[in-house]
Amino acid sequence: MLGSWRRSLQLAFFNHRLISEVNRVKQVNWLTVDLGLREVADAHINEELDRMLIGLNRLFKYKRVKQATLGYFRMLDIQKDEDVYHPTIHILLPTIKSYFQGRYYIKYDEWLALWHKALDMDPENRLSVKVNVLNGRCDQQEAACKMEQFLIKLHDEPDRIPNHDTKLASRRLVGYSRLLKEETDRLLPEIEYNINQYDIHDDIANCAFKSMLHWYPGVRKQGNDPLHSVS
């Protein structure tokens, strides 16, 4: 298995454990949020990646976002089509218990406006935002079978070294903050190869795992999604 896809899969498994552990001790809601830019030219990709990561930090300092969220996991995923890049920051986001019940709820249009403000850039139509509520509507048996299948692949397949894009050599492709950073430091992100170490009855964690199979840390060819295609 190519090294970066192995890393993607390892993170999906670790974050499954992380979500289950948080759910065990706290009542929270979970979202996934994708923040991106469309059609970035090769000559400007480093400048725009800097802008995105600075913008992300700025976004989570806004009172509107900070008071409703408890931290995040983020992954920088860059799809490339010839000399054009489409960078996205995938975010796994725990929110406060009352997020959906009142003034703390952030609608899609507001996420888009806040991302636009954080980046301080025009035109707005180059921005992309996707928000998904993890509501636990996943087939538990299907999720368990998928996880067991991928654990076997991780254990049995050799690790192949990927060709790293030099533009990303010094960048942190993943990161945790606040509550998720605290829990990550406590759990230690090591892969468990025994399916019994995962709470397959946690439907939120199962749905998040399924979503994260689409995520990739680094640069990939546009449309390359081998984990999701495994049957």
Side-chain angles (χ1 to χ4, degrees), residues 16 18 28 36 93 102 128 132 138 149 181 213:
H16 187 289
L18 182 62
V28 301
L93 189 64
S128 64
N132 179 50
C138 290
Q149 179 184 16
K181 176 69 164 61
L213 293 179

Side-chain angles (χ1 to χ4, degrees), residues 45-221:
I45 185 61
N46 266 318
E47 173 189 344
E48 298 292 37
L49 291 177
D50 288 341
R51 186 198 295 265
M52 288 178 70
L53 294 173
I54 292 170
L56 178 72
N57 289 333
R58 186 178 295 136
L59 176 70
F60 278 88
K61 290 178 181 177
Y62 293 152
K63 181 180 178 181
R64 188 77 178 93
V65 177
K66 189 172 183 178
Q67 68 184 357
T69 63
L70 301 170
Y72 61 76
F73 164 76
R74 63 95 174 159
M75 179 188 291
L76 183 59
D77 181 354
I78 306 165
Q79 296 199 41
K80 184 179 181 182
D81 182 14
E82 301 296 336
D83 290 328
V84 177
Y85 295 81
H86 308 277
T88 298
I89 302 174
H90 300 296
I91 303 170
L92 174 65
L93 189 64
T95 70
I96 59 175
K97 177 184 175 182
S98 57
Y99 178 73
F100 292 107
Q101 298 172 3
R103 63 189 179 90
Y104 296 107
Y105 179 67
I106 304 173
K107 296 180 180 179
Y108 170 81
D109 288 346
E110 192 171 0
W111 276 113
L112 181 60
L114 289 168
W115 182 226
H116 184 222
K117 177 183 176 183
L119 292 179
D120 188 26
M121 68 177 293
D122 289 311
E124 187 174 341
N125 62 11
R126 285 192 54 222
L127 309 186
S128 64
V129 173
K130 182 185 295 184
V131 182
N132 179 50
V133 178
L134 296 176
N135 54 23
R137 295 174 184 169
C138 290
D139 186 301
Q140 193 175 106
Q141 185 174 1
E142 179 185 352
C145 290
K146 178 77 76 174
M147 290 175 68
E148 198 157 22
Q149 179 184 16
F150 278 124
L151 284 174
I152 293 170
K153 287 179 70 66
L154 276 175
H155 185 271
D156 292 348
E157 290 192 12
D159 190 1
R160 293 190 287 118
I161 304 299
N163 295 319
H164 289 292
D165 193 299
T166 56
K167 293 180 174 60
L168 296 178
S170 62
R171 294 190 182 276
R172 289 184 60 203
L173 300 176
V174 301
Y176 294 86
S177 79
R178 297 171 63 195
L179 174 64
L180 298 192
K181 176 69 164 61
E182 294 169 10
E183 290 298 321
T184 295
D185 291 343
R186 190 176 64 81
L187 287 175
L188 299 179
E190 296 179 358
I191 188 70
E192 294 281 356
Y193 289 103
N194 184 348
I195 190 65
N196 295 320
Q197 296 298 318
Y198 300 88
D199 184 359
I200 61 171
H201 301 291
D202 188 326
D203 290 334
I204 299 296
N206 292 342
C207 286
F209 180 85
K210 184 177 180 181
S211 293
M212 288 184 287
L213 293 179
H214 293 281
W215 299 3
Y216 178 84
V219 179
R220 56 169 158 157
K221 184 178 180 181

Side-chain angles (χ1 to χ4, degrees), residues 20-34:
S20 296
E21 185 61 22
V22 171
N23 286 343
R24 188 179 66 82
V25 298
K26 291 182 75 72
Q27 286 189 297
V28 301
N29 296 291
W30 293 90
L31 311 175
T32 59
V33 180
D34 291 347

